[in-house]
Amino acid sequence: MDQVESVRTPASWVVVGLDNGGTCNNATVLDATGRYLVDNLVENPSLVTEGPESAIDQLAQAFHNILELTSTPLTLVRAVGLDTPGPASANGVISSKGATNFSMVSWHGFDIRSALEARIGLPVFYLNDANAAALYAHHQLFGAEAMTKSSVAAIVGTGLGGGVVEDGKVVSGAAGMAGELGHVQIPLHGVLEVGQPIPECNCGFSGDGESIASLTGIKKNLLPYWLTRFPDHPLAAEPLPQAAKQLRSYGEKEDPLALAVFEQQAKAIGKLFTIAANFTDPDAYLLGGGVVEASPKFRQWFLNTVRENTELRAEQQAAATFALVADLDMAGARGAAVAALEAVQPV
């Protein structure tokens, strides 16, 4: 388990947040006053590729480890928040076709929330990882006003996750699949070059947000096209998966090919936010993912490009904020903890 720089014992009852990923689990503790008891990542191996039994063991281990690290008695824990990559139902049942990190047949249709709840003997509340990050970003941005504000978040990673928060709570939808910005089909006029092929998403859609604004979109759609425009680029000699992962470092150096790719991604997110503006008219548009982990100059350029391509009315421009998701590596666990705190906190 990774050590943290500072640890604080709880002042009152607490909830625990668990962020389940393809490689590691990340854990945190949030007390009833809204104070996080750890400041850094606290991780253990997730073992999700070994199947549900091993993965639940590791989540339970992460839970007990974080209590030990923060000197938190089990009797003070009221609930646990859990997030995983989707798709999954609002109640934490993994898709019947599997999901990111959950490709083994034993995961298909598996109720990960109930399994963890049975294992640790405490209520467990579930969000997908993008919703959890969106919820944390919302509360971090608005603080005491969070429960009266709304936001839409786009989380750019291997795919494109998203989250819609209204009055401080995640909008989950009837089947738990609200806020799936990645699979909203967008107008491509002004995004693609003349003659550029329509991007295809792994979900089967053409021209949705994820087909452009994701690492998968770079590898599958954008980079193959732009390498035909820059045939002598050093990335042309690399296998596409490796080239796609290296692209951000070129963007930070203001490489023309990389900037062309990332500008298309930013324009696509702007189109998504424009759609969101006409559905929810949020107080804030939040951007997270790998771009947030880039150099300050590059991420500010990317955020500015998203803002410039989000078409808002004058009244909306005056009212709305554009911001980056804070503490991205901890956002999932912290957002899961916020969801658990909201669920059990007395009104």
Side-chain angles (χ1 to χ4, degrees), residues 234-271:
L235 290 179
E238 299 283 344
L240 273 174
Q242 283 71 35
K245 290 179 180 178
Q246 294 177 39
L247 194 66
R248 191 177 70 201
S249 65
Y250 280 87
E252 292 173 325
K253 300 171 187 173
E254 300 184 4
D255 174 80
L257 179 149
L259 291 183
V261 170
F262 287 114
E263 183 178 29
Q264 288 193 317
Q265 291 200 325
K267 287 180 175 180
I269 295 170
K271 295 286 189 183

PDB file of all heavy atoms in Angstrom, residues 234-271:
ATOM      1  N   PRO A 234       7.742  11.784 -36.850  1.00  0.00           N
ATOM      2  CA  PRO A 234       8.371  10.663 -36.125  1.00  0.00           C
ATOM      3  C   PRO A 234       7.387   9.592 -35.665  1.00  0.00           C
ATOM      4  O   PRO A 234       7.744   8.409 -35.605  1.00  0.00           O
ATOM      5  CB  PRO A 234       9.020  11.359 -34.919  1.00  0.00           C
ATOM      6  CG  PRO A 234       9.259  12.753 -35.361  1.00  0.00           C
ATOM      7  CD  PRO A 234       8.142  13.095 -36.299  1.00  0.00           C
ATOM      8  N   LEU A 235       6.144   9.962 -35.361  1.00  0.00           N
ATOM      9  CA  LEU A 235       5.165   8.973 -34.899  1.00  0.00           C
ATOM     10  C   LEU A 235       4.736   8.019 -36.002  1.00  0.00           C
ATOM     11  O   LEU A 235       4.169   6.962 -35.713  1.00  0.00           O
ATOM     12  CB  LEU A 235       3.937   9.677 -34.318  1.00  0.00           C
ATOM     13  CG  LEU A 235       4.142  10.409 -32.991  1.00  0.00           C
ATOM     14  CD1 LEU A 235       2.852  11.078 -32.553  1.00  0.00           C
ATOM     15  CD2 LEU A 235       4.644   9.465 -31.905  1.00  0.00           C
ATOM     16  N   ALA A 236       5.012   8.369 -37.256  1.00  0.00           N
ATOM     17  CA  ALA A 236       4.648   7.484 -38.364  1.00  0.00           C
ATOM     18  C   ALA A 236       5.406   6.169 -38.305  1.00  0.00           C
ATOM     19  O   ALA A 236       4.953   5.154 -38.854  1.00  0.00           O
ATOM     20  CB  ALA A 236       4.892   8.187 -39.693  1.00  0.00           C
ATOM     21  N   ALA A 237       6.549   6.177 -37.623  1.00  0.00           N
ATOM     22  CA  ALA A 237       7.362   4.963 -37.522  1.00  0.00           C
ATOM     23  C   ALA A 237       6.971   4.089 -36.334  1.00  0.00           C
ATOM     24  O   ALA A 237       7.495   2.984 -36.173  1.00  0.00           O
ATOM     25  CB  ALA A 237       8.843   5.344 -37.421  1.00  0.00           C
ATOM     26  N   GLU A 238       6.041   4.586 -35.515  1.00  0.00           N
ATOM     27  CA  GLU A 238       5.635   3.865 -34.301  1.00  0.00           C
ATOM     28  C   GLU A 238       4.351   3.086 -34.545  1.00  0.00           C
ATOM     29  O   GLU A 238       3.495   3.508 -35.329  1.00  0.00           O
ATOM     30  CB  GLU A 238       5.400   4.854 -33.157  1.00  0.00           C
ATOM     31  CG  GLU A 238       6.610   5.666 -32.749  1.00  0.00           C
ATOM     32  CD  GLU A 238       7.590   4.879 -31.909  1.00  0.00           C
ATOM     33  OE1 GLU A 238       7.189   3.800 -31.389  1.00  0.00           O
ATOM     34  OE2 GLU A 238       8.739   5.314 -31.778  1.00  0.00           O
ATOM     35  N   PRO A 239       4.161   1.943 -33.865  1.00  0.00           N
ATOM     36  CA  PRO A 239       2.847   1.286 -33.902  1.00  0.00           C
ATOM     37  C   PRO A 239       1.782   2.242 -33.357  1.00  0.00           C
ATOM     38  O   PRO A 239       2.051   3.019 -32.426  1.00  0.00           O
ATOM     39  CB  PRO A 239       3.027   0.073 -32.979  1.00  0.00           C
ATOM     40  CG  PRO A 239       4.500  -0.151 -32.908  1.00  0.00           C
ATOM     41  CD  PRO A 239       5.131   1.203 -33.038  1.00  0.00           C
ATOM     42  N   LEU A 240       0.586   2.201 -33.919  1.00  0.00           N
ATOM     43  CA  LEU A 240      -0.448   3.167 -33.546  1.00  0.00           C
ATOM     44  C   LEU A 240      -0.734   3.236 -32.040  1.00  0.00           C
ATOM     45  O   LEU A 240      -0.873   4.346 -31.500  1.00  0.00           O
ATOM     46  CB  LEU A 240      -1.741   2.878 -34.306  1.00  0.00           C
ATOM     47  CG  LEU A 240      -1.856   3.526 -35.694  1.00  0.00           C
ATOM     48  CD1 LEU A 240      -3.111   3.044 -36.392  1.00  0.00           C
ATOM     49  CD2 LEU A 240      -1.863   5.061 -35.574  1.00  0.00           C
ATOM     50  N   PRO A 241      -0.825   2.113 -31.326  1.00  0.00           N
ATOM     51  CA  PRO A 241      -1.104   2.224 -29.880  1.00  0.00           C
ATOM     52  C   PRO A 241      -0.040   3.032 -29.140  1.00  0.00           C
ATOM     53  O   PRO A 241      -0.366   3.864 -28.286  1.00  0.00           O
ATOM     54  CB  PRO A 241      -1.147   0.770 -29.408  1.00  0.00           C
ATOM     55  CG  PRO A 241      -1.511  -0.010 -30.632  1.00  0.00           C
ATOM     56  CD  PRO A 241      -0.832   0.694 -31.757  1.00  0.00           C
ATOM     57  N   GLN A 242       1.235   2.794 -29.482  1.00  0.00           N
ATOM     58  CA  GLN A 242       2.306   3.535 -28.823  1.00  0.00           C
ATOM     59  C   GLN A 242       2.317   4.999 -29.267  1.00  0.00           C
ATOM     60  O   GLN A 242       2.528   5.912 -28.473  1.00  0.00           O
ATOM     61  CB  GLN A 242       3.665   2.893 -29.123  1.00  0.00           C
ATOM     62  CG  GLN A 242       3.957   1.620 -28.337  1.00  0.00           C
ATOM     63  CD  GLN A 242       3.107   0.435 -28.783  1.00  0.00           C
ATOM     64  OE1 GLN A 242       2.795   0.303 -29.965  1.00  0.00           O
ATOM     65  NE2 GLN A 242       2.742  -0.424 -27.837  1.00  0.00           N
ATOM     66  N   ALA A 243       2.074   5.212 -30.558  1.00  0.00           N
ATOM     67  CA  ALA A 243       2.055   6.583 -31.080  1.00  0.00           C
ATOM     68  C   ALA A 243       0.962   7.405 -30.418  1.00  0.00           C
ATOM     69  O   ALA A 243       1.162   8.578 -30.067  1.00  0.00           O
ATOM     70  CB  ALA A 243       1.869   6.554 -32.595  1.00  0.00           C
ATOM     71  N   ALA A 244      -0.217   6.797 -30.231  1.00  0.00           N
ATOM     72  CA  ALA A 244      -1.332   7.510 -29.609  1.00  0.00           C
ATOM     73  C   ALA A 244      -0.990   7.927 -28.184  1.00  0.00           C
ATOM     74  O   ALA A 244      -1.324   9.038 -27.751  1.00  0.00           O
ATOM     75  CB  ALA A 244      -2.586   6.637 -29.628  1.00  0.00           C
ATOM     76  N   LYS A 245      -0.310   7.059 -27.443  1.00  0.00           N
ATOM     77  CA  LYS A 245       0.046   7.375 -26.058  1.00  0.00           C
ATOM     78  C   LYS A 245       1.109   8.462 -25.982  1.00  0.00           C
ATOM     79  O   LYS A 245       1.187   9.193 -24.997  1.00  0.00           O
ATOM     80  CB  LYS A 245       0.519   6.103 -25.342  1.00  0.00           C
ATOM     81  CG  LYS A 245      -0.588   5.093 -25.092  1.00  0.00           C
ATOM     82  CD  LYS A 245      -0.066   3.851 -24.401  1.00  0.00           C
ATOM     83  CE  LYS A 245      -1.184   2.839 -24.158  1.00  0.00           C
ATOM     84  NZ  LYS A 245      -0.680   1.601 -23.515  1.00  0.00           N
ATOM     85  N   GLN A 246       1.935   8.575 -27.007  1.00  0.00           N
ATOM     86  CA  GLN A 246       3.001   9.577 -27.014  1.00  0.00           C
ATOM     87  C   GLN A 246       2.515  10.949 -27.473  1.00  0.00           C
ATOM     88  O   GLN A 246       3.221  11.950 -27.314  1.00  0.00           O
ATOM     89  CB  GLN A 246       4.131   9.122 -27.940  1.00  0.00           C
ATOM     90  CG  GLN A 246       4.874   7.881 -27.483  1.00  0.00           C
ATOM     91  CD  GLN A 246       5.927   7.459 -28.490  1.00  0.00           C
ATOM     92  OE1 GLN A 246       6.607   8.284 -29.092  1.00  0.00           O
ATOM     93  NE2 GLN A 246       6.047   6.155 -28.691  1.00  0.00           N
ATOM     94  N   LEU A 247       1.319  11.001 -28.026  1.00  0.00           N
ATOM     95  CA  LEU A 247       0.877  12.220 -28.708  1.00  0.00           C
ATOM     96  C   LEU A 247       0.800  13.422 -27.768  1.00  0.00           C
ATOM     97  O   LEU A 247       1.125  14.552 -28.164  1.00  0.00           O
ATOM     98  CB  LEU A 247      -0.480  11.978 -29.374  1.00  0.00           C
ATOM     99  CG  LEU A 247      -0.907  13.043 -30.382  1.00  0.00           C
ATOM    100  CD1 LEU A 247       0.014  13.040 -31.594  1.00  0.00           C
ATOM    101  CD2 LEU A 247      -2.348  12.817 -30.823  1.00  0.00           C
ATOM    102  N   ARG A 248       0.385  13.199 -26.520  1.00  0.00           N
ATOM    103  CA  ARG A 248       0.245  14.332 -25.606  1.00  0.00           C
ATOM    104  C   ARG A 248       1.589  15.018 -25.369  1.00  0.00           C
ATOM    105  O   ARG A 248       1.650  16.253 -25.268  1.00  0.00           O
ATOM    106  CB  ARG A 248      -0.353  13.889 -24.274  1.00  0.00           C
ATOM    107  CG  ARG A 248      -0.756  15.062 -23.390  1.00  0.00           C
ATOM    108  CD  ARG A 248      -1.415  14.584 -22.120  1.00  0.00           C
ATOM    109  NE  ARG A 248      -0.458  13.945 -21.234  1.00  0.00           N
ATOM    110  CZ  ARG A 248      -0.772  13.097 -20.269  1.00  0.00           C
ATOM    111  NH1 ARG A 248      -2.024  12.756 -20.087  1.00  0.00           N
ATOM    112  NH2 ARG A 248       0.154  12.569 -19.503  1.00  0.00           N
ATOM    113  N   SER A 249       2.670  14.246 -25.278  1.00  0.00           N
ATOM    114  CA  SER A 249       3.986  14.858 -25.063  1.00  0.00           C
ATOM    115  C   SER A 249       4.367  15.733 -26.250  1.00  0.00           C
ATOM    116  O   SER A 249       5.014  16.778 -26.087  1.00  0.00           O
ATOM    117  CB  SER A 249       5.050  13.782 -24.831  1.00  0.00           C
ATOM    118  OG  SER A 249       5.242  12.982 -25.990  1.00  0.00           O
ATOM    119  N   TYR A 250       3.940  15.354 -27.449  1.00  0.00           N
ATOM    120  CA  TYR A 250       4.180  16.197 -28.632  1.00  0.00           C
ATOM    121  C   TYR A 250       3.305  17.448 -28.560  1.00  0.00           C
ATOM    122  O   TYR A 250       3.729  18.538 -28.963  1.00  0.00           O
ATOM    123  CB  TYR A 250       3.884  15.422 -29.908  1.00  0.00           C
ATOM    124  CG  TYR A 250       5.005  14.489 -30.329  1.00  0.00           C
ATOM    125  CD1 TYR A 250       5.078  13.189 -29.836  1.00  0.00           C
ATOM    126  CD2 TYR A 250       5.983  14.909 -31.220  1.00  0.00           C
ATOM    127  CE1 TYR A 250       6.097  12.327 -30.214  1.00  0.00           C
ATOM    128  CE2 TYR A 250       7.014  14.048 -31.618  1.00  0.00           C
ATOM    129  CZ  TYR A 250       7.064  12.763 -31.104  1.00  0.00           C
ATOM    130  OH  TYR A 250       8.082  11.919 -31.479  1.00  0.00           O
ATOM    131  N   GLY A 251       2.087  17.295 -28.075  1.00  0.00           N
ATOM    132  CA  GLY A 251       1.207  18.447 -27.945  1.00  0.00           C
ATOM    133  C   GLY A 251       1.777  19.490 -26.997  1.00  0.00           C
ATOM    134  O   GLY A 251       1.660  20.702 -27.238  1.00  0.00           O
ATOM    135  N   GLU A 252       2.404  19.023 -25.922  1.00  0.00           N
ATOM    136  CA  GLU A 252       3.009  19.944 -24.963  1.00  0.00           C
ATOM    137  C   GLU A 252       4.170  20.726 -25.577  1.00  0.00           C
ATOM    138  O   GLU A 252       4.527  21.799 -25.097  1.00  0.00           O
ATOM    139  CB  GLU A 252       3.479  19.168 -23.733  1.00  0.00           C
ATOM    140  CG  GLU A 252       2.333  18.611 -22.911  1.00  0.00           C
ATOM    141  CD  GLU A 252       2.791  17.700 -21.780  1.00  0.00           C
ATOM    142  OE1 GLU A 252       3.789  16.974 -21.966  1.00  0.00           O
ATOM    143  OE2 GLU A 252       2.161  17.726 -20.721  1.00  0.00           O
ATOM    144  N   LYS A 253       4.745  20.166 -26.645  1.00  0.00           N
ATOM    145  CA  LYS A 253       5.829  20.851 -27.360  1.00  0.00           C
ATOM    146  C   LYS A 253       5.309  21.653 -28.561  1.00  0.00           C
ATOM    147  O   LYS A 253       6.088  22.114 -29.390  1.00  0.00           O
ATOM    148  CB  LYS A 253       6.846  19.815 -27.848  1.00  0.00           C
ATOM    149  CG  LYS A 253       7.491  19.010 -26.729  1.00  0.00           C
ATOM    150  CD  LYS A 253       8.317  17.857 -27.294  1.00  0.00           C
ATOM    151  CE  LYS A 253       8.817  16.950 -26.185  1.00  0.00           C
ATOM    152  NZ  LYS A 253       9.495  15.730 -26.738  1.00  0.00           N
ATOM    153  N   GLU A 254       3.978  21.777 -28.652  1.00  0.00           N
ATOM    154  CA  GLU A 254       3.312  22.527 -29.715  1.00  0.00           C
ATOM    155  C   GLU A 254       3.615  21.956 -31.102  1.00  0.00           C
ATOM    156  O   GLU A 254       3.712  22.685 -32.092  1.00  0.00           O
ATOM    157  CB  GLU A 254       3.696  24.014 -29.638  1.00  0.00           C
ATOM    158  CG  GLU A 254       3.289  24.645 -28.311  1.00  0.00           C
ATOM    159  CD  GLU A 254       3.562  26.130 -28.263  1.00  0.00           C
ATOM    160  OE1 GLU A 254       4.003  26.708 -29.271  1.00  0.00           O
ATOM    161  OE2 GLU A 254       3.321  26.726 -27.192  1.00  0.00           O
ATOM    162  N   ASP A 255       3.695  20.642 -31.180  1.00  0.00           N
ATOM    163  CA  ASP A 255       3.882  19.957 -32.455  1.00  0.00           C
ATOM    164  C   ASP A 255       2.621  20.126 -33.311  1.00  0.00           C
ATOM    165  O   ASP A 255       1.500  19.910 -32.816  1.00  0.00           O
ATOM    166  CB  ASP A 255       4.144  18.473 -32.194  1.00  0.00           C
ATOM    167  CG  ASP A 255       4.206  17.657 -33.459  1.00  0.00           C
ATOM    168  OD1 ASP A 255       5.247  17.664 -34.122  1.00  0.00           O
ATOM    169  OD2 ASP A 255       3.179  17.016 -33.792  1.00  0.00           O
ATOM    170  N   PRO A 256       2.749  20.512 -34.588  1.00  0.00           N
ATOM    171  CA  PRO A 256       1.559  20.809 -35.420  1.00  0.00           C
ATOM    172  C   PRO A 256       0.606  19.629 -35.571  1.00  0.00           C
ATOM    173  O   PRO A 256      -0.619  19.813 -35.511  1.00  0.00           O
ATOM    174  CB  PRO A 256       2.157  21.219 -36.769  1.00  0.00           C
ATOM    175  CG  PRO A 256       3.525  21.731 -36.431  1.00  0.00           C
ATOM    176  CD  PRO A 256       3.988  20.889 -35.281  1.00  0.00           C
ATOM    177  N   LEU A 257       1.127  18.426 -35.783  1.00  0.00           N
ATOM    178  CA  LEU A 257       0.238  17.265 -35.910  1.00  0.00           C
ATOM    179  C   LEU A 257      -0.536  17.044 -34.617  1.00  0.00           C
ATOM    180  O   LEU A 257      -1.761  16.861 -34.629  1.00  0.00           O
ATOM    181  CB  LEU A 257       1.038  16.006 -36.265  1.00  0.00           C
ATOM    182  CG  LEU A 257       0.231  14.692 -36.398  1.00  0.00           C
ATOM    183  CD1 LEU A 257       0.875  13.760 -37.416  1.00  0.00           C
ATOM    184  CD2 LEU A 257       0.113  13.961 -35.058  1.00  0.00           C
ATOM    185  N   ALA A 258       0.148  17.054 -33.492  1.00  0.00           N
ATOM    186  CA  ALA A 258      -0.501  16.813 -32.207  1.00  0.00           C
ATOM    187  C   ALA A 258      -1.544  17.881 -31.919  1.00  0.00           C
ATOM    188  O   ALA A 258      -2.660  17.577 -31.466  1.00  0.00           O
ATOM    189  CB  ALA A 258       0.540  16.761 -31.096  1.00  0.00           C
ATOM    190  N   LEU A 259      -1.214  19.134 -32.181  1.00  0.00           N
ATOM    191  CA  LEU A 259      -2.176  20.203 -31.929  1.00  0.00           C
ATOM    192  C   LEU A 259      -3.405  20.076 -32.823  1.00  0.00           C
ATOM    193  O   LEU A 259      -4.521  20.386 -32.401  1.00  0.00           O
ATOM    194  CB  LEU A 259      -1.519  21.566 -32.131  1.00  0.00           C
ATOM    195  CG  LEU A 259      -0.458  21.953 -31.097  1.00  0.00           C
ATOM    196  CD1 LEU A 259       0.063  23.356 -31.386  1.00  0.00           C
ATOM    197  CD2 LEU A 259      -0.996  21.871 -29.667  1.00  0.00           C
ATOM    198  N   ALA A 260      -3.216  19.590 -34.056  1.00  0.00           N
ATOM    199  CA  ALA A 260      -4.360  19.379 -34.951  1.00  0.00           C
ATOM    200  C   ALA A 260      -5.302  18.322 -34.375  1.00  0.00           C
ATOM    201  O   ALA A 260      -6.535  18.474 -34.408  1.00  0.00           O
ATOM    202  CB  ALA A 260      -3.872  18.965 -36.341  1.00  0.00           C
ATOM    203  N   VAL A 261      -4.730  17.240 -33.836  1.00  0.00           N
ATOM    204  CA  VAL A 261      -5.544  16.175 -33.237  1.00  0.00           C
ATOM    205  C   VAL A 261      -6.277  16.694 -32.005  1.00  0.00           C
ATOM    206  O   VAL A 261      -7.494  16.517 -31.855  1.00  0.00           O
ATOM    207  CB  VAL A 261      -4.659  14.967 -32.871  1.00  0.00           C
ATOM    208  CG1 VAL A 261      -5.447  13.960 -32.023  1.00  0.00           C
ATOM    209  CG2 VAL A 261      -4.136  14.280 -34.123  1.00  0.00           C
ATOM    210  N   PHE A 262      -5.551  17.341 -31.112  1.00  0.00           N
ATOM    211  CA  PHE A 262      -6.168  17.788 -29.861  1.00  0.00           C
ATOM    212  C   PHE A 262      -7.161  18.926 -30.087  1.00  0.00           C
ATOM    213  O   PHE A 262      -8.127  19.071 -29.341  1.00  0.00           O
ATOM    214  CB  PHE A 262      -5.098  18.175 -28.847  1.00  0.00           C
ATOM    215  CG  PHE A 262      -4.375  16.988 -28.273  1.00  0.00           C
ATOM    216  CD1 PHE A 262      -3.028  16.778 -28.523  1.00  0.00           C
ATOM    217  CD2 PHE A 262      -5.051  16.053 -27.510  1.00  0.00           C
ATOM    218  CE1 PHE A 262      -2.367  15.672 -28.005  1.00  0.00           C
ATOM    219  CE2 PHE A 262      -4.407  14.935 -26.990  1.00  0.00           C
ATOM    220  CZ  PHE A 262      -3.059  14.743 -27.239  1.00  0.00           C
ATOM    221  N   GLU A 263      -6.939  19.724 -31.131  1.00  0.00           N
ATOM    222  CA  GLU A 263      -7.919  20.755 -31.452  1.00  0.00           C
ATOM    223  C   GLU A 263      -9.241  20.125 -31.881  1.00  0.00           C
ATOM    224  O   GLU A 263     -10.316  20.604 -31.495  1.00  0.00           O
ATOM    225  CB  GLU A 263      -7.395  21.665 -32.562  1.00  0.00           C
ATOM    226  CG  GLU A 263      -8.347  22.812 -32.878  1.00  0.00           C
ATOM    227  CD  GLU A 263      -7.819  23.756 -33.939  1.00  0.00           C
ATOM    228  OE1 GLU A 263      -7.050  23.293 -34.809  1.00  0.00           O
ATOM    229  OE2 GLU A 263      -8.174  24.937 -33.896  1.00  0.00           O
ATOM    230  N   GLN A 264      -9.172  19.024 -32.642  1.00  0.00           N
ATOM    231  CA  GLN A 264     -10.409  18.338 -33.009  1.00  0.00           C
ATOM    232  C   GLN A 264     -11.101  17.762 -31.782  1.00  0.00           C
ATOM    233  O   GLN A 264     -12.329  17.797 -31.673  1.00  0.00           O
ATOM    234  CB  GLN A 264     -10.115  17.233 -34.030  1.00  0.00           C
ATOM    235  CG  GLN A 264      -9.754  17.785 -35.411  1.00  0.00           C
ATOM    236  CD  GLN A 264      -9.759  16.724 -36.492  1.00  0.00           C
ATOM    237  OE1 GLN A 264      -9.273  15.604 -36.300  1.00  0.00           O
ATOM    238  NE2 GLN A 264     -10.311  17.075 -37.646  1.00  0.00           N
ATOM    239  N   GLN A 265     -10.318  17.230 -30.850  1.00  0.00           N
ATOM    240  CA  GLN A 265     -10.919  16.721 -29.617  1.00  0.00           C
ATOM    241  C   GLN A 265     -11.617  17.841 -28.842  1.00  0.00           C
ATOM    242  O   GLN A 265     -12.739  17.670 -28.357  1.00  0.00           O
ATOM    243  CB  GLN A 265      -9.844  16.066 -28.742  1.00  0.00           C
ATOM    244  CG  GLN A 265      -9.297  14.773 -29.304  1.00  0.00           C
ATOM    245  CD  GLN A 265      -8.628  13.926 -28.242  1.00  0.00           C
ATOM    246  OE1 GLN A 265      -7.996  14.438 -27.326  1.00  0.00           O
ATOM    247  NE2 GLN A 265      -8.766  12.623 -28.355  1.00  0.00           N
ATOM    248  N   ALA A 266     -10.934  18.975 -28.718  1.00  0.00           N
ATOM    249  CA  ALA A 266     -11.507  20.095 -27.977  1.00  0.00           C
ATOM    250  C   ALA A 266     -12.775  20.605 -28.653  1.00  0.00           C
ATOM    251  O   ALA A 266     -13.763  20.948 -27.982  1.00  0.00           O
ATOM    252  CB  ALA A 266     -10.481  21.216 -27.851  1.00  0.00           C
ATOM    253  N   LYS A 267     -12.766  20.661 -29.983  1.00  0.00           N
ATOM    254  CA  LYS A 267     -13.955  21.090 -30.711  1.00  0.00           C
ATOM    255  C   LYS A 267     -15.115  20.118 -30.477  1.00  0.00           C
ATOM    256  O   LYS A 267     -16.276  20.544 -30.318  1.00  0.00           O
ATOM    257  CB  LYS A 267     -13.648  21.200 -32.204  1.00  0.00           C
ATOM    258  CG  LYS A 267     -12.790  22.397 -32.587  1.00  0.00           C
ATOM    259  CD  LYS A 267     -12.531  22.424 -34.080  1.00  0.00           C
ATOM    260  CE  LYS A 267     -11.774  23.678 -34.496  1.00  0.00           C
ATOM    261  NZ  LYS A 267     -11.509  23.700 -35.969  1.00  0.00           N
ATOM    262  N   ALA A 268     -14.815  18.822 -30.450  1.00  0.00           N
ATOM    263  CA  ALA A 268     -15.862  17.827 -30.219  1.00  0.00           C
ATOM    264  C   ALA A 268     -16.473  17.991 -28.831  1.00  0.00           C
ATOM    265  O   ALA A 268     -17.701  17.906 -28.660  1.00  0.00           O
ATOM    266  CB  ALA A 268     -15.298  16.417 -30.389  1.00  0.00           C
ATOM    267  N   ILE A 269     -15.640  18.229 -27.826  1.00  0.00           N
ATOM    268  CA  ILE A 269     -16.155  18.448 -26.468  1.00  0.00           C
ATOM    269  C   ILE A 269     -16.971  19.735 -26.427  1.00  0.00           C
ATOM    270  O   ILE A 269     -18.013  19.802 -25.758  1.00  0.00           O
ATOM    271  CB  ILE A 269     -15.001  18.473 -25.449  1.00  0.00           C
ATOM    272  CG1 ILE A 269     -14.328  17.097 -25.394  1.00  0.00           C
ATOM    273  CG2 ILE A 269     -15.521  18.854 -24.060  1.00  0.00           C
ATOM    274  CD1 ILE A 269     -13.045  17.076 -24.598  1.00  0.00           C
ATOM    275  N   GLY A 270     -16.537  20.754 -27.160  1.00  0.00           N
ATOM    276  CA  GLY A 270     -17.330  21.980 -27.261  1.00  0.00           C
ATOM    277  C   GLY A 270     -18.711  21.717 -27.830  1.00  0.00           C
ATOM    278  O   GLY A 270     -19.710  22.289 -27.365  1.00  0.00           O
ATOM    279  N   LYS A 271     -18.799  20.849 -28.828  1.00  0.00           N
ATOM    280  CA  LYS A 271     -20.110  20.482 -29.387  1.00  0.00           C
ATOM    281  C   LYS A 271     -20.965  19.779 -28.333  1.00  0.00           C
ATOM    282  O   LYS A 271     -22.181  20.035 -28.222  1.00  0.00           O
ATOM    283  CB  LYS A 271     -19.919  19.560 -30.587  1.00  0.00           C
ATOM    284  CG  LYS A 271     -19.210  20.182 -31.779  1.00  0.00           C
ATOM    285  CD  LYS A 271     -20.087  21.157 -32.535  1.00  0.00           C
ATOM    286  CE  LYS A 271     -19.433  21.601 -33.829  1.00  0.00           C
ATOM    287  NZ  LYS A 271     -20.233  22.609 -34.568  1.00  0.00           N
TER     288      LYS A 271
END
